[in-house]
């Protein structure tokens, strides 16, 4: 079992990102609160990620991780809305005998609109996000074949 300790500097950066996200949600929630449709959500998932290289560096395998966060969506107009969230993401890949994993906090912002086409809705989405890498871990064998891990925060 591997336990990762975050440095004080990393915790301060995460705290600033969380405060920014909370302030943005509060700001959006108080803008004409009673005349708009508001949606709050919690999401989570389990994913697998990998990487490819050109030129080819060797066989690679996928690495699994979790992804969870909160989101807020607001429809200000009949066919237009905005969405923002705050997510914790784990990604990585395994190349030959070395495993690379990363942990990050993401703050996505999205504008969404739709048009009605018969009984269907066609959605048009524009999205941008900021991401802060909390840490990256590298696990590889030493010259004796014993696995060791390095963490970069």
């Amino acid at each position: 079992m591997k336990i990762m300790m975050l440095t004080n500097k990393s915790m301060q950066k995460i705290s600033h990102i969380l405060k920014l996200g909370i302030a943005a949600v509060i700001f959006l929630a108080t803008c004409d609160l009673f005349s708009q449709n508001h949606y709050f959500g919690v999401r989570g998932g389990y994913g697998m990620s990998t990487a490819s290289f050109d030129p080819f560096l060797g066989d690679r395998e996928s690495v699994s991780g979790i992804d969870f966060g909160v989101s807020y969506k607001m429809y200000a107009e009949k066919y237009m809305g905005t969405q923002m969230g705050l997510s914790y993401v784990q990604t990585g890949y395994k190349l030959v005998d070395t495993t690379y994993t990363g942990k990050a906090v993401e703050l996505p912002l999205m504008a969404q609109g739709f048009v009605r086409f018969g009984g269907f809705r066609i959605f048009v989405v524009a999205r941008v996000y900021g991401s802060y890498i909390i840490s990256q871990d590298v696990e590889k064998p030493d010259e004796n074949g014993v696995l060791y891990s390095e963490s970069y925060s």
Side-chain angles (χ1 to χ4, degrees):
M1 179 178 189
K2 183 178 174 184
I3 298 174
M4 185 185 87
M5 300 297 291
L6 295 175
T7 64
N8 191 25
K9 188 175 181 180
S10 294
M11 290 301 293
Q12 287 176 343
K13 289 180 181 179
I14 294 169
S15 174
H16 290 300
I17 292 171
L18 290 173
K19 287 176 186 175
L20 176 65
I22 291 168
V25 168
I26 291 171
F27 172 75
L28 289 173
T30 58
C31 296
D32 272 340
L33 185 62
F34 299 107
S35 64
Q36 301 167 2
N37 296 317
H38 298 268
Y39 304 92
F40 292 92
V42 177
R43 62 178 195 79
Y46 181 79
M48 294 174 41
S49 60
T50 188
S52 61
F53 299 95
D54 187 22
F56 182 71
L57 297 178
D59 292 332
R60 64 196 189 294
E61 297 176 24
S62 61
V63 173
S64 58
I66 59 171
D67 179 350
F68 63 88
V70 294
S71 65
Y72 169 73
K73 185 186 289 188
M74 171 182 71
Y75 279 100
E77 300 294 329
K78 187 174 183 180
Y79 299 109
M80 290 294 296
T82 59
Q83 180 176 341
M84 66 178 303
L86 188 63
S87 302
Y88 172 80
V89 181
Q90 292 179 337
T91 61
Y93 62 94
K94 183 175 183 177
L95 184 63
V96 186
D97 59 353
T98 305
T99 303
Y100 302 88
T101 56
K103 297 169 182 71
V105 175
E106 293 182 349
L107 182 66
L109 301 171
M110 181 175 72
Q112 178 180 0
F114 68 90
V115 293
R116 293 190 188 272
F117 186 71
F120 297 96
R121 289 183 182 177
I122 298 175
F123 288 90
V124 178
V125 177
R127 182 176 190 246
V128 64
Y129 72 94
S131 181
Y132 174 73
I133 298 173
I134 299 169
S135 70
Q136 181 176 351
D137 300 321
V138 179
E139 187 176 275
K140 59 185 173 181
D142 63 10
E143 59 276 352
N144 298 323
V146 177
L147 284 178
Y148 74 96
S149 181
E150 296 175 328
S151 183
Y152 305 96
S153 298

